[in-house]
Amino acid sequence: MEVDFLFQVGDKIVYPMHGAGVIEAIEEKEILGEKQQYYIIKMPIGNMKLLVPMEKASNVGIRLVVDMLTLENTLLIFHDRELEKLLPWNQRYRINMDKIRTGDIQEGAEVVCDLMRMNETKRLNTSEKRMLDNAKDILISELALIKGFTENQAIDFLNEEVYN
């Protein structure tokens, strides 16, 4: 059985909806009687490990973390983005969830920016508050891996970008 390795051990990747991590190993495992190659991904934030079947990695949207220039351009969102007209919360929720699911750092940052700004003027409902926390965690995890920060350093850095 020939397997194409999309990623290598040591690659820093982003798993949409979970955040950024590092591929620790590639192992063959038998789960439910089926042998497959798996990426073993260590998620530094939350101290979690994920097993992702290699053949499904591209389908779930796993990608390499972005480079420093892309990160810097993404962070400009927090200075340049205007809050769009308010849609009904359920429509806004669907749009934001679709953005997070893409795994794209720019779209995730837009969700964080919009919900943080909205939270300053009116209180977010429980679902949107949870969404904001999740989107921030995903952004912070990628920021930490790109910059070599701890989780707290990444949080402080993001807060500085947002509020300065």
Side-chain angles (χ1 to χ4, degrees):
M1 169 171 110
E2 190 175 313
V3 177
D4 245 351
F5 287 85
L6 248 99
F7 303 105
Q8 307 295 320
V9 172
D11 283 352
K12 297 174 181 175
I13 56 92
V14 175
Y15 188 136
M17 302 297 292
H18 292 282
V22 178
I23 297 180
E24 268 192 344
I26 299 172
E27 297 177 0
E28 184 174 83
K29 297 211 177 269
E30 185 174 332
I31 298 179
L32 299 174
E34 188 178 339
K35 283 187 180 185
Q36 289 188 63
Q37 294 279 341
Y38 285 86
Y39 290 117
I40 313 299
I41 304 169
K42 169 108 172 76
M43 310 297 276
I45 295 181
N47 204 21
M48 179 173 54
K49 279 194 182 182
L50 296 175
L51 270 69
V52 178
M54 287 179 63
E55 65 186 40
K56 297 207 180 349
S58 58
N59 293 350
V60 296
I62 291 177
R63 64 168 173 80
L64 293 172
V65 296
V66 298
D67 60 28
M68 193 66 77
L69 182 61
T70 303
L71 174 65
E72 289 169 5
N73 288 332
T74 298
L75 294 174
L76 292 174
I77 285 173
F78 294 100
H79 303 286
D80 301 339
R81 189 168 171 82
E82 296 289 322
L83 188 59
E84 295 176 16
K85 70 176 180 84
L86 291 181
L87 298 168
W89 86 265
N90 56 345
Q91 194 175 358
R92 198 171 54 237
Y93 185 88
R94 271 195 311 273
I95 290 168
N96 285 336
M97 186 57 75
D98 288 344
K99 286 182 176 186
I100 293 170
R101 279 190 189 116
T102 67
D104 182 86
I105 191 171
Q106 181 89 19
E107 295 207 4
E110 288 174 6
V111 172
V112 172
C113 182
D114 291 349
L115 290 178
M116 287 180 83
R117 291 219 176 111
M118 199 174 356
N119 197 35
E120 291 170 0
T121 57
K122 80 177 198 103
R123 208 176 140 140
L124 297 177
N125 66 37
T126 306
S127 296
E128 285 185 310
K129 174 75 174 108
R130 204 172 316 124
M131 177 182 280
L132 173 57
D133 291 343
N134 185 41
K136 273 174 79 173
D137 287 346
I138 293 168
L139 183 58
I140 286 165
S141 69
E142 187 162 8
L143 180 62
L145 281 182
I146 295 168
K147 292 257 191 197
F149 287 162
T150 65
E151 181 177 0
N152 286 336
Q153 288 171 323
I155 290 167
D156 291 344
F157 182 86
L158 182 61
N159 285 335
E160 212 166 282
E161 284 295 317
V162 170
Y163 298 113
N164 288 331

